[in-house]
Amino acid sequence: MRNFVHDYPRLCRLEVVATLASGRQILALKISNKVELDNTTKPEVLCTATMHGDEGICATTALNFCNHLLSNYGTDSRINRLLDSIEFWVIPISNPDGMYKGGNSSISESTRSNGSGTDLN
């Protein structure tokens, strides 16, 4: 997500939604043609993924969605219309404690529940 901000600073901004007791952060990527403005009159769409830490494919799908919007703005008229008229917020990992239970560099031990052992359903 930080790479998106680096590569497309005029189209996206990274926000910390929450910091968990573990110190891990839930991050959101704001995507818009006017990313620097807050409280615009544009409708906002929130896309979240991975409520359960063991649903890694959802995080990948959300990141691919971000990449598609960002890399096609300016060349695809449909994407231009979307980002010119809607503000997207994407949270690819809603449960980082479950996803990274085995450590911050691997998802091999990911689990459905959060850091407290609670299923978020």
Side-chain angles (χ1 to χ4, degrees):
M1 290 172 70
R2 286 178 178 84
N3 286 343
F4 288 141
V5 174
H6 178 267
D7 294 344
Y8 304 98
R10 298 179 70 201
L11 295 176
C12 64
R13 182 174 79 201
L14 194 60
E15 297 282 338
V16 176
V17 175
T19 301
L20 306 176
S22 65
R24 292 186 178 104
Q25 296 177 325
I26 297 176
L27 301 174
L29 192 66
K30 177 184 175 182
I31 302 174
S32 171
N33 73 324
K34 297 190 185 301
V35 73
E36 72 282 356
L37 299 178
D38 291 321
N39 301 319
T40 66
T41 58
K42 287 183 178 184
E44 297 175 74
V45 174
L46 173 63
C47 304
T48 64
T50 66
M51 177 190 293
H52 301 114
D54 58 357
E55 298 171 338
I57 191 68
C58 297
T60 302
T61 301
L63 292 171
N64 284 334
F65 174 68
C66 294
N67 185 60
H68 185 74
L69 292 175
L70 295 166
S71 65
N72 287 291
Y73 186 78
T75 60
D76 183 323
S77 61
R78 294 172 302 157
I79 301 298
N80 293 352
R81 282 192 306 273
L82 281 172
L83 294 189
D84 292 350
S85 61
I86 299 171
E87 187 173 285
F88 289 91
W89 290 86
V90 182
I91 302 175
I93 302 173
S94 299
N95 181 2
D97 285 346
M99 181 168 275
Y100 295 104
K101 183 178 182 194
N104 289 335
S105 61
S106 174
I107 60 169
S108 65
E109 295 180 41
S110 62
T111 183
R112 181 177 174 90
S113 56
N114 68 5
S116 301
T118 303
D119 184 330
L120 298 176
N121 278 347

